[in-house]
Amino acid sequence: MTEKITKALQLVKDCGADGVLVSDPANIRYLSGYTNDTGVLFLSEKECCLLTDFRFLYQALEEAKGFRVIDIGKQGYESLVNELCVQNSVKKLAFEKHVMTYREYEAYKENVTAALVPCDNVLASLRFIKTKEEIELLRTAEHIGDMAFSEILPYLKPGVTELEIAARLAFSMKMHGASEESFPAIVASGVNSSMPHAIPSERPIQNGDFITMDFGCVYKGYCSDMTRTVVLGKASDKQKEIYNLVLKAQTEALRALKPGKKGKEIDAVARDIIREAGYGDCFGHGLGHSVGLQIHEDPNCNMREERVLQAGMIMTVEPGIYVQDFGGVRIEDMVVLTEDGYENLAHSEKKLIEL
Ligand code: GLY
Ligand code: MN
Ligand code: MN
């Protein structure tokens, strides 16, 4: 049994169960090495199984070393899980309530005689601190984002649409080895940039626009996340004021970032700067979040985050100011916490770019 599995079973015991059904794909991948979305893990003190269907059987056998791989065949998941509980003397089976649907729950309840114990995503805590190998993959993923950003700049000309820019960013990242985007890219120009998570539209970019590009990729399972905002043509005084304020908030938050600080303390550094400049109501989201196998992982840097940051955690630092009917700016880097501070994995220019 690997150390990861031993730790996972301890977390499950803390929930009052003696076995667990893992159905969150990120937890499945982390614990077993199986990279597909289809399947579940059954973990108990006696054995670890991966259940999937024939389409993914050979892949599962190849990837999930140390697991008993079972083809659900005609039997189906629920009845097989019941058999495994009986074989492994599991009386209380934990399940991940953040991913199991009510319909799935009903089917398991009907077929499984062991008690079903709803658990929060407790296994995610295993993934908070990244290993050296994981950090290397995250570094590469963010580097791919940097390359895509430098490649998009020559294409930012009046008349090009937000959708075209988003498509080019995705294309660039794939050409540099990414398997997919870590989320659909946000490209928001002009007044659209006042919406933090605007959906790219057919709007052609125009001189005088802010253009916010928030994008990332998946490299060998690990996600990247970065945002840059540029101005097409000459920036107005108000654009410069907002941009430089966001940059200052980010710079100071990064300066404060180190192990031992609570997520909410780092958030407060950026938020106070923005509020004191009179834009408090225009920064309505958290400062950052962790990233790994998923684009949004815990812990966070936001107003509520009491958890303490530790070396080896990944964090985005992404303050923004969004002014209704005008436009907005976000600047986002992805960093890894080190023993005495952080290392920035993003290297794209942050001084205001006027194109
Ligand atoms: N891509 C959304 C975010 O930056 O969290
Ligand atoms: Mn982002
Ligand atoms: Mn982010």
Side-chain angles (χ1 to χ4, degrees):
M1 195 168 288
T2 65
E3 199 186 324
K4 282 179 185 175
I5 304 281
T6 308
K7 284 186 184 165
L9 284 170
Q10 186 55 52
L11 290 165
V12 167
K13 261 193 205 153
D14 297 344
C15 296
D18 52 0
V20 61
L21 189 65
V22 184
S23 31
D24 181 326
N27 290 334
I28 291 174
R29 180 175 183 142
Y30 188 76
L31 291 168
S32 71
Y34 175 62
T35 60
N36 205 281
D37 280 357
T38 304
V40 295
L41 301 183
F42 172 91
L43 310 180
S44 72
E45 291 294 345
K46 287 195 190 161
E47 70 171 347
C48 298
C49 306
L50 165 55
L51 286 59
T52 187
D53 70 62
F54 178 77
R55 292 170 299 166
F56 312 106
L57 194 59
Y58 301 153
Q59 180 186 355
L61 286 164
E62 180 66 29
E63 294 179 337
K65 299 291 179 214
F67 277 69
R68 174 149 80 99
V69 175
I70 307 173
D71 178 358
I72 59 159
K74 270 202 282 192
Q75 192 175 355
Y77 285 101
E78 299 85 6
S79 147
L80 248 169
V81 166
N82 186 48
E83 266 183 31
L84 290 171
C85 286
V86 172
Q87 284 165 18
N88 290 279
S89 318
V90 168
K91 302 274 183 299
K92 290 181 177 173
L93 182 68
F95 69 92
E96 300 181 292
K97 65 182 182 187
H98 67 292
V99 279
M100 187 176 286
T101 64
Y102 192 67
R103 178 186 292 217
E104 287 164 345
Y105 172 75
E106 282 186 329
Y108 278 109
K109 193 134 183 62
E110 203 172 301
N111 285 277
V112 175
T113 48
L116 295 176
V117 180
C119 272
D120 282 318
N121 189 8
V122 290
L123 300 179
S125 65
L126 298 170
R127 303 192 272 117
F128 285 180
I129 295 177
K130 272 59 179 179
T131 63
K132 269 192 197 141
E133 292 75 24
E134 289 180 296
I135 291 167
E136 280 316 303
L137 297 176
L138 288 154
R139 185 193 306 285
T140 303
E142 191 73 348
H143 178 59
I144 290 172
D146 276 335
M147 290 193 280
F149 179 67
S150 69
E151 288 171 8
I152 199 65
L153 292 177
Y155 286 101
L156 300 181
K157 306 271 187 222
V160 174
T161 69
E162 293 171 352
L163 277 168
E164 286 174 63
I165 298 165
R168 280 200 188 278
L169 285 166
F171 177 77
S172 275
M173 292 189 288
K174 286 193 175 183
M175 290 304 283
H176 289 295
S179 56
E180 56 185 318
E181 290 178 278
S182 49
F183 58 94
I186 295 162
V187 177
S189 63
V191 77
N192 290 348
S193 61
S194 67
M195 295 180 276
H197 277 197
I199 296 167
S201 73
E202 289 175 10
R203 182 183 186 279
I205 61 174
Q206 301 160 24
N207 266 323
D209 279 354
F210 269 139
I211 305 164
T212 298
M213 292 164 284
D214 182 351
F215 56 98
C217 71
V218 180
Y219 179 72
K220 298 194 175 163
Y222 284 81
C223 297
S224 69
D225 193 5
M226 67 183 290
T227 307
R228 288 294 182 269
T229 303
V230 301
V231 172
L232 194 62
K234 279 264 158 239
S236 67
D237 288 346
K238 183 161 179 182
Q239 283 177 321
K240 284 185 193 162
E241 178 204 339
I242 292 172
Y243 188 92
N244 289 325
L245 185 56
V246 172
L247 184 55
K248 182 174 173 210
Q250 202 220 25
T251 306
E252 293 306 318
L254 283 169
R255 209 194 295 279
L257 191 64
K258 62 172 169 217
K261 292 276 182 75
K262 288 182 178 175
K264 70 177 194 182
E265 294 177 277
I266 307 301
D267 178 276
V269 173
R271 202 166 298 284
D272 287 351
I273 290 170
I274 290 173
R275 195 187 48 240
E276 278 159 24
Y279 287 98
D281 292 341
C282 301
F283 176 28
H285 58 72
L287 179 68
H289 54 90
S290 197
V291 184
L293 288 169
Q294 291 172 309
I295 182 64
H296 291 126
E297 296 192 350
D298 282 351
N300 298 286
C301 283
N302 63 29
M303 286 184 276
R304 299 170 302 283
E305 184 58 270
E306 294 286 349
R307 284 173 286 194
V308 170
L309 304 176
Q310 298 177 59
M313 287 180 170
I314 300 284
M315 193 57 66
T316 67
V317 181
E318 49 177 309
I321 293 178
Y322 312 91
V323 181
Q324 198 172 13
D325 299 327
F326 178 75
V329 173
R330 180 164 63 259
I331 304 171
E332 174 178 28
D333 289 337
M334 190 171 93
V335 311
V336 56
L337 275 92
T338 57
E339 292 300 332
D340 52 3
Y342 71 93
E343 178 197 340
N344 202 332
L345 302 179
H347 298 285
S348 295
E349 180 61 73
K350 287 195 282 190
K351 275 192 247 124
L352 179 59
I353 297 175
E354 298 172 284
L355 292 161

